[in-house]
Amino acid sequence: MPIGPELKQFRMEQSGNGILHLIFDMPGRSMNVFSNAAIEELGVFADWLGQSDVAGVVISSGKSSAFCAGADLAELETAYDMIMAAPPGERDRLAFDHFFRLSHGLRRLETAGKPIAVAVAGLALGGGCEFALAAHHRVLADQPHATFGLPESLVGLLPGGGGTQRLPRLVGIDAALPVLLDGARISGQAAVAAGLAHELVAPGDEIAAAERWVLSRPAPTQPWDRPDWRPAAAQRVAGEVDACRTKMLADTLGHYPAPSAILDCVAQGLPQDFDTAIRTEMQIFAKLIQRREPRNMIRTLFLGRLDYERLKKKGLDPRITQAVGAVSHALRAQAGSGQELDEAFARAGFRGDGQRKASFDGRITAGVYWHDDEPKTWGKELLRARLADAEAAAATWRPELDESERRAADYVLVTQQGFPAYLGGLFAAGLN
């Protein structure tokens, strides 16, 4: 007889000691990611678990490459298109309902009344890290590629599965912010010292260690659900976040909304009870996902990177290099174009040899990119003219490249030619 609900993205195996093993093992994939199907199945499992008679659960991966590498970003881009096709007044609700499913499923899992341990022997990134954080006990293999991380900010997003709330509650704000804002990873003894992992064991021993913990009959309760838990003081959290926000804006020049959104999640969520906090996180996420910057960065820095690496293995078509060279020549973004234009390039986030360091002018990009925002300046006019020239150059090359080649060209433009990541390049879609 089947152990529980029929799952395809996960496997369930019952051990003789009453422990249920939930093994994340997506068919036909070399690495687990949180697809729509996996999120749906996790919710089904969480609902079943609370009514089951298992002694507890050990979660592990069926892949040798990783525990879970995060979200399925290709599906996420499809979801963006679906949300933006809806009437403006419905987009917030649509985004919330679509993306809250993972957070809701993880919350049901950790409150199902069964002790849950996770055995991590590989990468636990993004949604994979949030999955691990929702377990009551985390066992980490002592090997370099077994690591926790929340790199969503690197593609213009924030962790929307409770990561902005669980991580700082576990390790503190100071330790959490580099992970949330900069994509820093934590592994080995550092994860134990921070309070992120409970045990560090020899590779191959992580599942047995997780079983031992479950069999010790621990209380299946997260720290933030215990009666003695007290939310952080709002004034203290605001002070720590404000200091970090000042530095972040000096570095990003206000062009990247994800770091600000992450800091908003921490500042607003930590003083709240946990169920309210994860809804606050998702309300902020639902606004962020509608912006152009995440779409641009996912398309260029994730999908474009995959396309570039695949094409490079076959021998990169010289037309890609020629197309990028034509756009770079039209931009001529290197220093030496005159003070006004040099300053405008720097303030817009262009990077290159000899590029001067820009100072944040207090303008945070909202619905309009900085170079199109008020006030109008001569430097902005010069910059827009150069961008128009570059757009025209890209337009002549688009018919010569297929969709994957255009994304790869944008990846090269951003990572090798200093084009701002928030703009996403010029080949796949142009400035829009």
Side-chain angles (χ1 to χ4, degrees), residues 357-373:
K357 171 66 176 175
S359 297
F360 177 53
D361 63 4
R363 304 190 73 81
I364 299 175
T365 301
V368 180
Y369 292 136
W370 174 84
H371 50 273
D372 289 328
D373 197 8

PDB file of all heavy atoms in Angstrom, residues 357-373:
ATOM      1  N   LYS A 357      33.707  56.947  -9.726  1.00  0.00           N
ATOM      2  CA  LYS A 357      32.734  56.501  -8.732  1.00  0.00           C
ATOM      3  C   LYS A 357      31.659  57.559  -8.572  1.00  0.00           C
ATOM      4  O   LYS A 357      31.970  58.732  -8.318  1.00  0.00           O
ATOM      5  CB  LYS A 357      33.443  56.247  -7.396  1.00  0.00           C
ATOM      6  CG  LYS A 357      32.520  55.974  -6.220  1.00  0.00           C
ATOM      7  CD  LYS A 357      31.759  54.669  -6.366  1.00  0.00           C
ATOM      8  CE  LYS A 357      30.915  54.391  -5.116  1.00  0.00           C
ATOM      9  NZ  LYS A 357      30.075  53.197  -5.283  1.00  0.00           N
ATOM     10  N   ALA A 358      30.413  57.164  -8.750  1.00  0.00           N
ATOM     11  CA  ALA A 358      29.312  58.115  -8.641  1.00  0.00           C
ATOM     12  C   ALA A 358      28.834  58.183  -7.198  1.00  0.00           C
ATOM     13  O   ALA A 358      28.938  57.233  -6.437  1.00  0.00           O
ATOM     14  CB  ALA A 358      28.165  57.707  -9.551  1.00  0.00           C
ATOM     15  N   SER A 359      28.265  59.313  -6.848  1.00  0.00           N
ATOM     16  CA  SER A 359      27.658  59.502  -5.536  1.00  0.00           C
ATOM     17  C   SER A 359      26.143  59.377  -5.666  1.00  0.00           C
ATOM     18  O   SER A 359      25.556  59.835  -6.658  1.00  0.00           O
ATOM     19  CB  SER A 359      28.021  60.878  -4.965  1.00  0.00           C
ATOM     20  OG  SER A 359      29.414  60.985  -4.763  1.00  0.00           O
ATOM     21  N   PHE A 360      25.517  58.747  -4.683  1.00  0.00           N
ATOM     22  CA  PHE A 360      24.069  58.614  -4.680  1.00  0.00           C
ATOM     23  C   PHE A 360      23.434  59.983  -4.508  1.00  0.00           C
ATOM     24  O   PHE A 360      23.790  60.740  -3.606  1.00  0.00           O
ATOM     25  CB  PHE A 360      23.656  57.679  -3.543  1.00  0.00           C
ATOM     26  CG  PHE A 360      22.170  57.508  -3.399  1.00  0.00           C
ATOM     27  CD1 PHE A 360      21.385  57.126  -4.479  1.00  0.00           C
ATOM     28  CD2 PHE A 360      21.557  57.718  -2.172  1.00  0.00           C
ATOM     29  CE1 PHE A 360      20.022  56.968  -4.341  1.00  0.00           C
ATOM     30  CE2 PHE A 360      20.198  57.549  -2.029  1.00  0.00           C
ATOM     31  CZ  PHE A 360      19.420  57.174  -3.109  1.00  0.00           C
ATOM     32  N   ASP A 361      22.493  60.323  -5.391  1.00  0.00           N
ATOM     33  CA  ASP A 361      21.881  61.657  -5.365  1.00  0.00           C
ATOM     34  C   ASP A 361      20.540  61.677  -4.637  1.00  0.00           C
ATOM     35  O   ASP A 361      19.826  62.681  -4.675  1.00  0.00           O
ATOM     36  CB  ASP A 361      21.721  62.204  -6.784  1.00  0.00           C
ATOM     37  CG  ASP A 361      20.774  61.377  -7.652  1.00  0.00           C
ATOM     38  OD1 ASP A 361      20.179  60.409  -7.129  1.00  0.00           O
ATOM     39  OD2 ASP A 361      20.637  61.695  -8.845  1.00  0.00           O
ATOM     40  N   GLY A 362      20.188  60.577  -3.989  1.00  0.00           N
ATOM     41  CA  GLY A 362      18.951  60.538  -3.218  1.00  0.00           C
ATOM     42  C   GLY A 362      17.731  60.102  -3.998  1.00  0.00           C
ATOM     43  O   GLY A 362      16.650  59.955  -3.419  1.00  0.00           O
ATOM     44  N   ARG A 363      17.893  59.850  -5.296  1.00  0.00           N
ATOM     45  CA  ARG A 363      16.748  59.453  -6.115  1.00  0.00           C
ATOM     46  C   ARG A 363      16.720  57.936  -6.266  1.00  0.00           C
ATOM     47  O   ARG A 363      17.623  57.345  -6.855  1.00  0.00           O
ATOM     48  CB  ARG A 363      16.794  60.135  -7.480  1.00  0.00           C
ATOM     49  CG  ARG A 363      16.865  61.656  -7.392  1.00  0.00           C
ATOM     50  CD  ARG A 363      16.663  62.297  -8.749  1.00  0.00           C
ATOM     51  NE  ARG A 363      15.284  62.213  -9.186  1.00  0.00           N
ATOM     52  CZ  ARG A 363      14.316  63.035  -8.798  1.00  0.00           C
ATOM     53  NH1 ARG A 363      14.578  64.011  -7.941  1.00  0.00           N
ATOM     54  NH2 ARG A 363      13.092  62.907  -9.259  1.00  0.00           N
ATOM     55  N   ILE A 364      15.681  57.312  -5.715  1.00  0.00           N
ATOM     56  CA  ILE A 364      15.505  55.866  -5.801  1.00  0.00           C
ATOM     57  C   ILE A 364      14.553  55.572  -6.950  1.00  0.00           C
ATOM     58  O   ILE A 364      13.449  56.116  -7.019  1.00  0.00           O
ATOM     59  CB  ILE A 364      14.954  55.306  -4.479  1.00  0.00           C
ATOM     60  CG1 ILE A 364      15.944  55.582  -3.343  1.00  0.00           C
ATOM     61  CG2 ILE A 364      14.667  53.819  -4.604  1.00  0.00           C
ATOM     62  CD1 ILE A 364      15.433  55.178  -1.978  1.00  0.00           C
ATOM     63  N   THR A 365      14.974  54.718  -7.854  1.00  0.00           N
ATOM     64  CA  THR A 365      14.176  54.430  -9.031  1.00  0.00           C
ATOM     65  C   THR A 365      12.841  53.812  -8.645  1.00  0.00           C
ATOM     66  O   THR A 365      12.789  52.849  -7.888  1.00  0.00           O
ATOM     67  CB  THR A 365      14.929  53.467  -9.967  1.00  0.00           C
ATOM     68  OG1 THR A 365      16.158  54.079 -10.348  1.00  0.00           O
ATOM     69  CG2 THR A 365      14.117  53.176 -11.210  1.00  0.00           C
ATOM     70  N   ALA A 366      11.783  54.387  -9.159  1.00  0.00           N
ATOM     71  CA  ALA A 366      10.443  53.852  -8.920  1.00  0.00           C
ATOM     72  C   ALA A 366       9.927  53.279 -10.239  1.00  0.00           C
ATOM     73  O   ALA A 366      10.390  52.252 -10.688  1.00  0.00           O
ATOM     74  CB  ALA A 366       9.528  54.938  -8.380  1.00  0.00           C
ATOM     75  N   GLY A 367       8.991  53.942 -10.886  1.00  0.00           N
ATOM     76  CA  GLY A 367       8.465  53.437 -12.142  1.00  0.00           C
ATOM     77  C   GLY A 367       9.290  53.832 -13.341  1.00  0.00           C
ATOM     78  O   GLY A 367       9.085  53.319 -14.438  1.00  0.00           O
ATOM     79  N   VAL A 368      10.235  54.750 -13.166  1.00  0.00           N
ATOM     80  CA  VAL A 368      11.018  55.289 -14.283  1.00  0.00           C
ATOM     81  C   VAL A 368      12.494  55.120 -13.963  1.00  0.00           C
ATOM     82  O   VAL A 368      12.928  55.398 -12.846  1.00  0.00           O
ATOM     83  CB  VAL A 368      10.693  56.780 -14.502  1.00  0.00           C
ATOM     84  CG1 VAL A 368      11.504  57.351 -15.659  1.00  0.00           C
ATOM     85  CG2 VAL A 368       9.204  56.970 -14.757  1.00  0.00           C
ATOM     86  N   TYR A 369      13.256  54.659 -14.938  1.00  0.00           N
ATOM     87  CA  TYR A 369      14.697  54.547 -14.748  1.00  0.00           C
ATOM     88  C   TYR A 369      15.309  55.930 -14.521  1.00  0.00           C
ATOM     89  O   TYR A 369      14.787  56.947 -15.006  1.00  0.00           O
ATOM     90  CB  TYR A 369      15.358  53.901 -15.964  1.00  0.00           C
ATOM     91  CG  TYR A 369      15.012  52.443 -16.151  1.00  0.00           C
ATOM     92  CD1 TYR A 369      14.693  51.938 -17.410  1.00  0.00           C
ATOM     93  CD2 TYR A 369      15.034  51.558 -15.076  1.00  0.00           C
ATOM     94  CE1 TYR A 369      14.395  50.600 -17.599  1.00  0.00           C
ATOM     95  CE2 TYR A 369      14.737  50.219 -15.253  1.00  0.00           C
ATOM     96  CZ  TYR A 369      14.421  49.744 -16.511  1.00  0.00           C
ATOM     97  OH  TYR A 369      14.119  48.424 -16.689  1.00  0.00           O
ATOM     98  N   TRP A 370      16.448  55.950 -13.831  1.00  0.00           N
ATOM     99  CA  TRP A 370      17.072  57.219 -13.429  1.00  0.00           C
ATOM    100  C   TRP A 370      17.286  58.159 -14.614  1.00  0.00           C
ATOM    101  O   TRP A 370      17.020  59.359 -14.527  1.00  0.00           O
ATOM    102  CB  TRP A 370      18.416  56.929 -12.740  1.00  0.00           C
ATOM    103  CG  TRP A 370      19.185  58.170 -12.415  1.00  0.00           C
ATOM    104  CD1 TRP A 370      19.040  58.967 -11.326  1.00  0.00           C
ATOM    105  CD2 TRP A 370      20.226  58.759 -13.204  1.00  0.00           C
ATOM    106  NE1 TRP A 370      19.924  60.020 -11.381  1.00  0.00           N
ATOM    107  CE2 TRP A 370      20.664  59.905 -12.521  1.00  0.00           C
ATOM    108  CE3 TRP A 370      20.830  58.425 -14.419  1.00  0.00           C
ATOM    109  CZ2 TRP A 370      21.680  60.729 -13.009  1.00  0.00           C
ATOM    110  CZ3 TRP A 370      21.841  59.237 -14.920  1.00  0.00           C
ATOM    111  CH2 TRP A 370      22.252  60.374 -14.213  1.00  0.00           C
ATOM    112  N   HIS A 371      17.745  57.642 -15.744  1.00  0.00           N
ATOM    113  CA  HIS A 371      18.080  58.526 -16.869  1.00  0.00           C
ATOM    114  C   HIS A 371      16.838  59.115 -17.542  1.00  0.00           C
ATOM    115  O   HIS A 371      16.955  60.062 -18.333  1.00  0.00           O
ATOM    116  CB  HIS A 371      18.945  57.810 -17.913  1.00  0.00           C
ATOM    117  CG  HIS A 371      18.418  56.478 -18.342  1.00  0.00           C
ATOM    118  ND1 HIS A 371      18.713  55.323 -17.659  1.00  0.00           N
ATOM    119  CD2 HIS A 371      17.613  56.115 -19.372  1.00  0.00           C
ATOM    120  CE1 HIS A 371      18.129  54.303 -18.274  1.00  0.00           C
ATOM    121  NE2 HIS A 371      17.449  54.757 -19.295  1.00  0.00           N
ATOM    122  N   ASP A 372      15.654  58.568 -17.226  1.00  0.00           N
ATOM    123  CA  ASP A 372      14.412  59.137 -17.750  1.00  0.00           C
ATOM    124  C   ASP A 372      13.630  59.910 -16.700  1.00  0.00           C
ATOM    125  O   ASP A 372      12.578  60.472 -16.995  1.00  0.00           O
ATOM    126  CB  ASP A 372      13.508  58.021 -18.308  1.00  0.00           C
ATOM    127  CG  ASP A 372      14.053  57.442 -19.599  1.00  0.00           C
ATOM    128  OD1 ASP A 372      14.689  58.198 -20.348  1.00  0.00           O
ATOM    129  OD2 ASP A 372      13.858  56.242 -19.837  1.00  0.00           O
ATOM    130  N   ASP A 373      14.140  59.929 -15.473  1.00  0.00           N
ATOM    131  CA  ASP A 373      13.431  60.541 -14.359  1.00  0.00           C
ATOM    132  C   ASP A 373      13.709  62.039 -14.307  1.00  0.00           C
ATOM    133  O   ASP A 373      14.674  62.547 -14.869  1.00  0.00           O
ATOM    134  CB  ASP A 373      13.890  59.877 -13.051  1.00  0.00           C
ATOM    135  CG  ASP A 373      12.937  60.139 -11.897  1.00  0.00           C
ATOM    136  OD1 ASP A 373      11.860  60.702 -12.138  1.00  0.00           O
ATOM    137  OD2 ASP A 373      13.280  59.766 -10.766  1.00  0.00           O
TER     138      ASP A 373
END
